Amino acid sequence: MKKLAMCAFGVLFILFCSTSGYGKDSPSEILTFNADIAYQCIQKQVSFGPRVPNAQAHRLCGAYLQQQLTALGARVHVQRFQAQAFDGQSLALQNIIASFYPACQKRILLAAHWDTRPVADKDEARPMQPIDGANDGASGVGVLLALAQVISEHPPAGIGVDIIFFDGKDYGPPPGTFPTDNETAYWCLGAQYWSLHPHLPDYKAAYGVLLDMVGARGATFYRERYSVYYAAGVVKKIWALAQQLGHGRYFISQDSRGHMLDDHVFVNQVARIPMINIVDHWPGERPLFKAYHHTHRDNLTLVDKQTLQAVGETLLHVLYTAPL
Ligand SMILES: [Zn+2]
C-alpha cells in the first residue's frame, strides 16, 4: 500500500487552464523529475504479472492505472473495445486517457503502451511464455505516471496535457509463424482504434510524444525515421533540449535508418497529429531492436533509474520551458 501511495498523492481538481502557471520564469525547483516514483510504478505494473490482454493481470493493472490517474485529479476516459487478434481471438482492450487542464485549447499528447507481449518469441529458452515487459510497456507508463504527478501539481502555462496509455500494442504475430498479408494491421490495436475514434470528437493536439522502451540501462534514442518524417521540428527541439540537460549519451543526435512500427505511426497517419517516438533501438536497419527485445531479459533488472531520469527530465523541460 505504501508503494501505491507513493505513486499518487495530492488530489487536485484541475479543470481550469492556467495562463500564468509555471512558464519560462518558473522556479527551477519544480523542474525535478523523480525517477524513484517512475521506478516504483514500473515495479507495481510488473508485480501484477504479464499484462497480456484477456488475462487477470491485464485487468488488475488497467484498474490500477485508472485509479492512479483519477487520484491525481485528471479527467479520465476509459475507452473499452474489442479487437480481433491475428489468430482470430477477440481481445477485450482498453485505452486509458487522462486529461489535465481540459479547458486549455492548446494541448500536448504524451503516450505509451501498457500491454505486454503474450510470447517471448525471441527468447531461446522459453519462447512461448509471456514476458515481464518491465521495459517494453511498463517503463513508458512509469515515466508518464511520475510526470503526471508534477503536471497535476504545477499547471504548465497555457497548455493542457493528455496522457494516453494505449492497449494492444504488442499482440502482433510472431515473425514467420503466422503468415498474413497485412501483418501491420495486428500491431498497435489501441492506437489504431483511438486514431479512428478519438476520446473527444475533433480532438487536436499541437504534437505528441510516444515513449516506448525508455528504461533500459544504456538505452540509445536515435532519431527514429517516422518521427523525423512526420515531426522533424519536435524531434529537433527535444533532442537539443536533452543535449543541454546533459543527456546526449541517451538522446543521440543521429538519424536511424530503420522504420519503427509503433503507435505513433497510426497517430501520425490516421489521427494526423504529428507524433514522435522516443524508443531504444539501433540506428541501422538490422538489427533494429536491442538484444533484450521480446525475451525474458526484459525484466526489472534491465531497468535503470538514470535512463528514466534522462527521459523524464527532458520531457519535464519540454512542458515547462518550451512546450510549443
Ligand atoms: Zn514490444
Side-chain angles (χ1 to χ4, degrees):
M1 280 311 287
K2 212 171 179 188
K3 271 179 195 157
L4 202 77
M6 281 292 287
C7 283
F9 52 81
V11 179
L12 296 168
F13 286 92
I14 43 182
L15 302 175
F16 59 93
C17 187
S18 166
T19 46
S20 53
Y22 288 88
K24 285 189 163 102
D25 306 320
S26 60
S28 61
E29 71 268 13
I30 68 146
L31 293 174
T32 51
F33 178 80
N34 191 332
D36 291 330
I37 293 176
Y39 189 85
Q40 285 157 8
C41 295
I42 295 168
Q43 264 183 325
K44 180 72 188 174
Q45 292 170 79
V46 171
S47 75
F48 290 111
R51 282 79 66 214
V52 174
N54 292 354
Q56 169 82 340
H58 182 263
R59 278 189 291 277
L60 291 174
C61 187
Y64 156 75
L65 297 175
Q66 285 169 48
Q67 178 262 321
Q68 293 292 290
L69 294 165
T70 304
L72 289 171
R75 186 176 280 173
V76 178
H77 304 245
V78 179
Q79 208 171 41
R80 292 177 203 277
F81 60 102
Q82 297 281 326
Q84 202 190 35
F86 68 94
D87 57 3
Q89 235 196 114
S90 181
L91 306 176
L93 302 181
Q94 43 179 319
N95 290 329
I96 300 165
I97 303 148
S99 297
F100 293 90
Y101 313 106
C104 293
Q105 291 279 316
K106 290 180 184 159
R107 310 204 60 80
I108 291 172
L109 170 59
L110 305 176
H113 74 90
W114 70 276
D115 64 302
T116 53
R117 182 102 178 117
V119 289
D121 41 309
K122 295 182 184 170
D123 197 88
E124 277 158 24
R126 292 179 289 126
M128 296 313 287
Q129 285 177 24
I131 61 170
D132 283 356
N135 195 35
D136 194 356
S139 66
V141 171
V143 167
L144 292 182
L145 282 175
L147 264 182
Q149 195 162 304
V150 181
I151 294 166
S152 75
E153 290 166 4
H154 306 285
I159 58 153
V161 178
D162 300 295
I163 292 178
I164 306 189
F165 295 147
F166 287 124
D167 203 352
K169 150 78 211 313
D170 247 347
Y171 214 97
T177 60
F178 197 91
T180 158
D181 50 0
N182 187 11
E183 196 198 308
T184 58
Y186 296 106
W187 297 89
C188 308
L189 299 171
Q192 291 197 52
Y193 185 87
W194 181 84
S195 296
L196 284 172
H197 312 281
H199 60 290
L200 297 173
D202 305 321
Y203 175 79
K204 285 189 178 62
Y207 61 90
V209 179
L210 176 67
L211 305 183
D212 197 0
M213 300 185 278
V214 292
R217 188 168 294 104
T220 50
F221 308 122
Y222 292 94
R223 296 183 301 214
E224 186 272 336
R225 207 155 175 183
Y226 284 116
S227 307
V228 173
Y229 181 79
Y230 287 109
V234 180
V235 170
K236 200 174 161 194
K237 177 173 81 168
I238 292 181
W239 264 249
L241 203 51
Q243 310 287 326
Q244 281 172 32
L245 292 167
H247 301 312
R249 75 188 159 107
Y250 299 102
F251 288 80
I252 298 169
S253 295
Q254 181 187 331
D255 291 358
S256 56
R257 290 171 56 83
H259 291 85
M260 182 72 72
L261 174 64
D262 209 335
D263 294 327
H264 68 312
V265 174
F266 299 94
V267 175
N268 276 301
Q269 294 180 349
V270 181
R272 304 217 172 258
I273 294 169
M275 184 180 231
I276 69 152
N277 191 7
I278 299 175
V279 56
D280 186 16
H281 68 294
W282 294 120
E285 266 170 84
R286 274 164 203 273
L288 182 60
F289 295 101
K290 299 288 178 80
Y292 62 77
H293 183 247
H294 294 178
T295 74
H296 295 295
R297 273 169 284 170
D298 184 352
N299 61 41
L300 274 175
T301 63
L302 183 69
V303 177
D304 182 9
K305 287 182 191 172
Q306 285 187 50
T307 310
L308 300 171
Q309 186 69 32
V311 176
E313 203 170 281
T314 300
L315 282 181
L316 208 60
H317 275 73
V318 170
L319 294 178
Y320 290 93
T321 68
L324 296 170

